[in-house]
Amino acid sequence: MTKADDSFSVSCPTPKNELTMVKLGHGSGGRLTDQLIDQVFLPFFDSEQLLEKEDAATVFLDKDRIAVTTDSYVVSPIIFPGGNIGSLSVHGTVNDLCMRGAKPLYLSAAFILEEGFDRESLETVVRSMQSASKESGVVLIAADTKVVNKGCADKLFITTTGVGLITQSKIPSASRAKAGDAIILSGDIGRHGMAIMAARHELEFETTIESDSAPLNMMCQNLLSIGDSLHSMRDLTRGGLASVLNEIAHSSAVGIEIDESTVPVDPKVRAACEILGLDPLYVACEGRLVAIVEAQRAEEAVSIIQASPYGDGAKIVGKIVSDHPERVVLKSVIGGRRIVDKLSGDQLPRIC
Amino acid sequence: MTKADDSFSVSCPTPKNELTMVKLGHGSGGRLTDQLIDQVFLPFFDSEQLLEKEDAATVFLDKDRIAVTTDSYVVSPIIFPGGNIGSLSVHGTVNDLCMRGAKPLYLSAAFILEEGFDRESLETVVRSMQSASKESGVVLIAADTKVVNKGCADKLFITTTGVGLITQSKIPSASRAKAGDAIILSGDIGRHGMAIMAARHELEFETTIESDSAPLNMMCQNLLSIGDSLHSMRDLTRGGLASVLNEIAHSSAVGIEIDESTVPVDPKVRAACEILGLDPLYVACEGRLVAIVEAQRAEEAVSIIQASPYGDGAKIVGKIVSDHPERVVLKSVIGGRRIVDKLSGDQLPRIC
């Protein structure tokens, strides 16, 4: 690894201490989450799929190759502008399958309900899951319901697991980025996280910020047409664009350069971030992806994403470089350069 | 449906009222759970797999047929004699796959952790998941970790989803029981539920009751050797033997006759049930199954189960009849006959 230039500031060092107790930040998707996984889970579960740390695992059955992914959703509040925990749980799982080039087919859902939760809210959530599943082309085939005493859960948690079919031989992976590749972002960032924050704190902005929560199955399926030139895909969830780029830089042992002026942030989102002192680069999306594509196919890939649902704001925002491997460097609007590191804990807990 | 004999007492009528709020009993696996599923979930999710209400769904991929099942585990306390929430979450999901004649292959696990949960307990749980997975022959390929604020969960919830491969053409189903079939029980009942109750209430019995939590993959794989004569398999979890027999009676539209004197209950479990006023027939197991087998292969099936891990107490406990369809009738030790209905709510909340 090359040494960071002295002018770079490293925002958050890796927590080196031993984990003794679970903190809220261990669920952040940042370095504390890495610590939890590396210290507590991976020593016991060292399957090659888990070690890959991809959005979805892929396995060969007898004749088929499938992708499998699981996520618990604990977002608070459970209903927010632009969606709710139900639609989010479908979109999130569908998108994780898509990031591996799989066609999402089947979904399971496990509900943990708090005693006293009202039927009306539950139906709102379930109805959203129904339409999200329909739009994503997945069928819910297995489900479970548990109820815990009042005060032992926060209204409703949903865990969705998805199974998708992989038909191509080479699949996108965070470890396949190569120097020279273009980095394509499918749209503006930070809507989901700020929609949740605004709803949670009942912040009044002039206009409502809606979550970008959406299924990316069509976009990804269309992108597969560029074949092996599509090296990596990642959806931007916990930890936002900055965390995903760090994961790719790390998995592929490459450097990443991003031009801040090209990263779209809606003015409402930017204003809300400024009020709350947050950096939009770290704020979660739930309907955006980053695609790492061979430079000569990049413009074509941008056009494909722009023509797909939820992709009209797609653009090239940076490139993979051989300098400073495992480092994400941002050229700021005012001309400076800074390292964009993975956060330690949370800017925003429980946003998914 | 034949009318119940006047001498029968129906223990719990189906709740006919509209669900307006989630009660603890909606997680019982009894009639209230049926109400929740029928009124709130199935109207929105009517895939053929969910409508079948089997332990695991089966789907055809491109070339393979797989079984998929999901369950959240919210057991309290999380560590109990004979196991913990980790081993339980593996056994429960492995067993659900086995009940459909699938070979369990892959597992995903999603953890919802309460802020402040200690590392030592988490490692105890994870270590148990590791050994349970090893014994069951499954590989954990996908995982997720979320953390919620203190007071928003009860220490730790785990949701496991399993994927298994089905190679035979005809698979066991609760809907395939036929008049004349023998009902085989793989061992004594009620250990898991009473182990949890004793641990929860710190009941002091002369000797500790240990949970029967165990993986039944070898037993089921061995049983598949009798081929199509194996009509149904169900593991006894929430609601115990009584609930499973009711589900089979209902799905197959057959009557069931059980001889109480043949149903093994450990004296410690029986004593604990008497103290707490519980009927062992409704107390959960986590390592027992019921197999419905053609009469002429029944003795052979009993021998196969007895020779398998966790099956040495196997015996025939009753038969499928054409009388009183959808009713489970128990010949009691003192000679009477009574209907064993599905419970409405819970004898024992949060035992899995």
Side-chain angles (χ1 to χ4, degrees):
Chain A
M1 193 197 288
T2 58
K3 198 124 185 275
D5 187 301
D6 280 350
S7 66
F8 291 166
S9 69
V10 177
S11 51
C12 283
T14 310
K16 288 196 177 57
N17 55 323
E18 284 290 300
L19 185 162
T20 55
M21 188 170 285
V22 176
K23 300 180 201 169
L24 212 44
H26 283 117
S28 65
R31 289 183 184 275
L32 280 169
T33 303
D34 294 344
Q35 183 197 39
L36 173 66
I37 293 171
D38 293 341
Q39 290 187 17
V40 182
F41 290 107
L42 289 185
F44 298 99
F45 303 122
D46 57 353
S47 68
E48 54 175 308
Q49 289 83 6
L50 280 186
L51 289 172
E52 283 173 358
K53 298 186 180 177
E54 293 280 2
D55 280 344
T58 74
V59 287
F60 289 95
L61 295 171
D62 192 18
K63 298 188 182 71
D64 293 318
R65 183 176 192 180
I66 61 169
V68 177
T69 186
T70 196
D71 270 292
S72 285
Y73 293 85
V74 299
V75 62
S76 170
I78 59 169
I79 297 172
F80 47 82
N84 61 51
I85 191 172
S87 48
L88 185 65
S89 71
V90 175
H91 295 155
T93 292
V94 161
N95 291 349
D96 279 345
L97 293 175
C98 295
M99 295 309 127
R100 306 306 310 280
K103 184 178 163 60
L105 293 176
Y106 300 111
L107 212 63
S108 72
F111 298 82
I112 298 175
L113 294 155
E114 184 187 13
E115 187 186 11
F117 187 62
D118 67 289
R119 176 176 178 158
E120 199 185 325
S121 303
L122 185 56
E123 282 201 348
T124 300
V125 167
V126 170
R127 187 175 289 115
S128 296
M129 292 183 79
Q130 182 191 39
S131 27
S133 301
K134 204 168 173 186
E135 184 183 357
S136 318
V138 291
V139 180
L140 187 76
I141 58 167
D144 180 51
T145 310
K146 294 284 166 21
V147 181
V148 297
N149 321 61
K150 206 165 174 61
C152 288
D154 190 6
K155 295 187 180 71
L156 170 63
F157 302 143
I158 303 177
T159 303
T160 43
T161 304
V163 177
L165 187 66
I166 295 176
T167 50
Q168 70 276 28
S169 63
K170 222 166 180 180
I171 59 177
S173 157
S175 65
R176 288 185 54 211
K178 284 191 176 54
D181 287 353
I183 300 171
I184 304 169
L185 176 63
S186 69
D188 65 323
I189 60 171
R191 282 178 191 269
H192 178 72
M194 295 321 295
I196 298 294
M197 285 304 278
R200 191 181 299 167
H201 299 293
E202 293 175 5
L203 298 180
E204 295 279 341
F205 301 115
E206 275 176 37
T207 46
T208 306
I209 299 173
E210 294 215 337
S211 168
D212 59 343
S213 179
L216 302 178
N217 52 306
M218 285 309 296
M219 185 189 293
C220 294
Q221 204 168 305
N222 296 343
L223 257 185
L224 290 179
S225 67
I226 67 164
D228 273 1
S229 304
L230 176 64
H231 292 165
S232 320
M233 288 194 284
R234 276 273 162 122
D235 58 337
L236 312 180
T237 56
R238 285 186 288 185
L241 176 62
S243 301
V244 160
L245 293 178
N246 269 283
E247 284 157 16
I248 293 170
H250 184 80
S251 288
S252 298
V254 293
I256 285 183
E257 276 186 16
I258 295 291
D259 184 347
E260 190 176 18
S261 66
T262 62
V263 176
V265 183
D266 181 90
K268 291 196 299 283
V269 171
R270 192 179 294 284
C273 280
E274 277 170 14
I275 291 167
L276 297 168
L278 299 172
D279 183 343
L281 288 175
Y282 293 94
V283 179
C285 314
E286 288 289 346
R288 299 288 181 243
L289 64 75
V290 149
I292 312 293
V293 175
E294 265 177 25
Q296 59 269 38
R297 308 291 296 269
E299 288 301 339
E300 185 188 346
V302 169
S303 304
I304 290 171
I305 299 178
Q306 284 174 345
S308 303
Y310 310 109
D312 48 349
K315 55 202 293 196
I316 295 171
V317 296
K319 62 182 179 205
I320 306 292
V321 296
S322 49
D323 288 347
H324 54 81
E326 307 198 16
R327 289 273 180 221
V328 179
V329 175
L330 181 92
K331 273 202 307 190
S332 76
V333 180
I334 52 166
R337 286 161 61 87
R338 66 177 167 100
I339 288 182
V340 176
D341 209 347
K342 215 170 174 180
L343 284 190
S344 173
D346 254 329
Q347 285 201 127
L348 309 170
R350 294 184 62 190
I351 50 85
C352 63
Chain B
M1 195 198 289
T2 56
K3 199 121 185 275
D5 188 300
D6 280 351
S7 66
F8 291 167
S9 69
V10 177
S11 51
C12 284
T14 310
K16 285 192 179 59
N17 56 323
E18 286 290 300
L19 183 162
T20 55
M21 188 171 281
V22 175
K23 299 179 201 170
L24 213 43
H26 283 116
S28 65
R31 289 183 183 274
L32 279 171
T33 303
D34 294 344
Q35 183 199 39
L36 174 65
I37 292 170
D38 293 342
Q39 289 186 19
V40 182
F41 290 106
L42 289 185
F44 298 99
F45 303 121
D46 57 353
S47 68
E48 55 175 306
Q49 289 83 5
L50 280 186
L51 290 171
E52 282 172 1
K53 297 185 181 177
E54 293 280 2
D55 280 343
T58 73
V59 287
F60 288 95
L61 294 171
D62 191 19
K63 299 188 182 72
D64 293 316
R65 184 177 191 180
I66 61 170
V68 177
T69 186
T70 195
D71 270 292
S72 285
Y73 293 85
V74 298
V75 63
S76 170
I78 60 168
I79 296 171
F80 47 82
N84 61 51
I85 190 171
S87 47
L88 185 65
S89 71
V90 175
H91 295 156
T93 292
V94 161
N95 291 348
D96 279 345
L97 293 175
C98 295
M99 296 307 129
R100 307 306 309 282
K103 181 176 166 58
L105 292 176
Y106 300 111
L107 211 63
S108 72
F111 297 82
I112 298 174
L113 294 154
E114 185 187 12
E115 187 186 9
F117 187 61
D118 68 289
R119 177 177 177 156
E120 199 186 325
S121 303
L122 184 57
E123 282 201 347
T124 301
V125 166
V126 171
R127 188 174 289 115
S128 297
M129 292 184 79
Q130 182 191 38
S131 29
S133 299
K134 204 168 174 186
E135 184 182 359
S136 317
V138 290
V139 179
L140 187 76
I141 56 167
D144 180 51
T145 311
K146 293 284 166 23
V147 182
V148 297
N149 321 62
K150 206 162 174 64
C152 288
D154 191 7
K155 294 185 179 73
L156 170 63
F157 302 143
I158 302 177
T159 302
T160 43
T161 304
V163 176
L165 188 66
I166 296 175
T167 50
Q168 71 276 28
S169 61
K170 223 167 179 181
I171 60 177
S173 158
S175 65
R176 288 185 54 211
K178 284 191 177 55
D181 287 352
I183 299 170
I184 303 169
L185 176 62
S186 69
D188 66 323
I189 60 171
R191 281 180 192 268
H192 177 73
M194 295 321 294
I196 298 295
M197 286 303 279
R200 191 181 300 167
H201 299 293
E202 293 174 6
L203 297 180
E204 295 280 340
F205 300 116
E206 276 175 38
T207 46
T208 306
I209 299 172
E210 293 215 338
S211 168
D212 58 343
S213 181
L216 302 178
N217 53 305
M218 286 308 298
M219 185 190 293
C220 293
Q221 204 167 304
N222 296 343
L223 256 185
L224 289 179
S225 67
I226 67 165
D228 274 0
S229 303
L230 176 64
H231 292 164
S232 320
M233 288 195 284
R234 276 272 163 124
D235 58 336
L236 313 180
T237 57
R238 284 185 289 184
L241 177 63
S243 300
V244 160
L245 293 178
N246 268 283
E247 284 157 16
I248 293 170
H250 183 81
S251 288
S252 298
V254 294
I256 284 183
E257 276 186 16
I258 294 291
D259 186 346
E260 189 175 19
S261 67
T262 62
V263 176
V265 183
D266 181 89
K268 291 195 300 287
V269 171
R270 192 180 294 285
C273 280
E274 276 169 15
I275 290 168
L276 297 168
L278 299 173
D279 183 344
L281 287 175
Y282 293 94
V283 178
C285 313
E286 288 289 347
R288 300 289 182 239
L289 64 75
V290 150
I292 311 293
V293 175
E294 265 178 24
Q296 59 269 38
R297 307 290 296 269
E299 288 301 341
E300 184 188 346
V302 169
S303 306
I304 290 171
I305 298 178
Q306 284 172 345
S308 304
Y310 311 107
D312 48 348
K315 53 203 295 195
I316 295 171
V317 297
K319 62 182 180 204
I320 306 293
V321 296
S322 48
D323 288 349
H324 54 80
E326 307 199 15
R327 287 275 182 221
V328 178
V329 175
L330 181 93
K331 273 202 307 189
S332 77
V333 180
I334 53 167
R337 286 160 61 86
R338 66 176 167 101
I339 288 183
V340 177
D341 209 347
K342 213 169 175 180
L343 284 190
S344 173
D346 254 328
Q347 284 202 129
L348 308 171
R350 296 184 59 191
I351 50 85
C352 63

